[in-house]
Amino acid sequence: MFHRNATETCHVTRLALRMIVLVASVLLGTCAALVDIRPAFACSCAGISTGRALREADAVFRGSVLSKDIVGRGDAARTDIRFAVDRVYKGTAYTEQVVASRHDADACGLDPELGSTWVIFAIEGIEGEGDRAVNRLVTTLCSGNLPTGIAPPILGRPRPPLAGASDREERSTNTDRIVSRGLAIAGIGGLAIVTIAVIGVAVLWRPGRPG
């Protein structure tokens, strides 16, 4: 009887061990699956032809990268890329043209090397949030930009860029808007004061009012 009970106990122990191993394997497999199915945030965009990039762009130019400035933080961060432009194929571009792009490469942000020459396809848009938002040319890894100084014939004959820097023109435009807004507010305020004064005079001075 003792030998039989010991054998049964051994079988139960082995079965328990097998169950533990099976449960552990299932748990490990589940963890691995959870790790594998985590969402991927890498940039993904279909290839775009130069012809399509040209049609969709508001501005196309060739320029060398002068500087890169990171503005903002987190998902709203952007990179302001300053180009020394020598040829313009479409739209408006300045001798120093600043183009905004998402800072994170996973969000398809462009991050060219300093001194490298590119043919840039950009659209007019707003990049950033709040006080850091700017209305300027924007480009991405999916815009069809060409990392070469040789422009394809489809771009046509180039013309020289406008003199100056694009961001200085932006500041000038913003200043004009602030001044115009201030004048408008001042005008409304002045009109209100005049209206109140006229009403006051009309109330205080009425025909037939005893002196």
Side-chain angles (χ1 to χ4, degrees):
M1 292 293 296
F2 178 79
H3 177 71
R4 182 178 179 181
N5 291 337
T7 301
E8 291 178 353
T9 301
C10 182
H11 288 166
V12 171
T13 302
R14 290 179 179 176
L15 181 60
L17 289 174
R18 290 177 180 175
M19 290 297 297
I20 292 173
V21 172
L22 179 61
V23 171
S25 299
V26 171
L27 290 175
L28 289 174
T30 302
C31 291
L34 290 175
V35 170
D36 290 340
I37 64 174
R38 287 182 302 177
F41 296 100
C43 173
S44 176
C45 53
I48 181 173
S49 66
T50 301
R52 178 181 172 186
L54 177 62
R55 291 192 302 271
E56 295 181 353
D58 294 313
V60 181
F61 63 86
R62 190 184 76 166
S64 300
V65 181
L66 292 176
S67 64
K68 297 183 295 184
D69 296 319
I70 301 174
V71 181
R73 296 181 179 179
D75 294 338
R78 73 175 190 270
T79 302
D80 285 346
I81 310 168
R82 185 180 299 273
F83 291 90
V85 179
D86 60 357
R87 297 179 183 179
V88 179
Y89 297 92
K90 182 180 180 180
T92 300
Y94 290 82
T95 302
E96 288 188 15
Q97 180 65 50
V98 179
V99 178
S101 190
R102 290 298 180 93
H103 174 59
D104 192 353
D106 290 342
C108 298
L110 181 66
D111 187 22
E113 295 290 335
L114 291 176
S116 60
T117 301
W118 288 70
V119 175
I120 295 295
F121 299 82
I123 62 172
E124 295 178 356
I126 298 176
E127 188 67 25
E129 297 179 353
D131 295 336
R132 295 182 179 273
V134 291
N135 186 0
R136 63 171 46 146
L137 294 179
V138 179
T139 193
T140 70
L141 289 174
C142 305
S143 299
N145 301 308
L146 304 174
T148 175
I150 303 176
I154 192 175
L155 298 184
R157 295 184 61 182
R159 62 181 184 275
L162 298 178
S166 63
D167 53 334
R168 295 194 186 100
E169 295 299 325
E170 288 171 0
R171 285 197 293 269
S172 176
T173 301
N174 291 336
T175 301
D176 292 342
R177 289 177 181 175
I178 293 172
V179 172
S180 299
R181 185 180 302 173
L183 291 175
I185 294 174
I188 293 173
L191 180 61
I193 293 174
V194 171
T195 302
I196 293 173
V198 170
I199 294 174
V201 170
V203 171
L204 293 176
W205 183 83
R206 295 195 300 268
R209 180 178 179 181

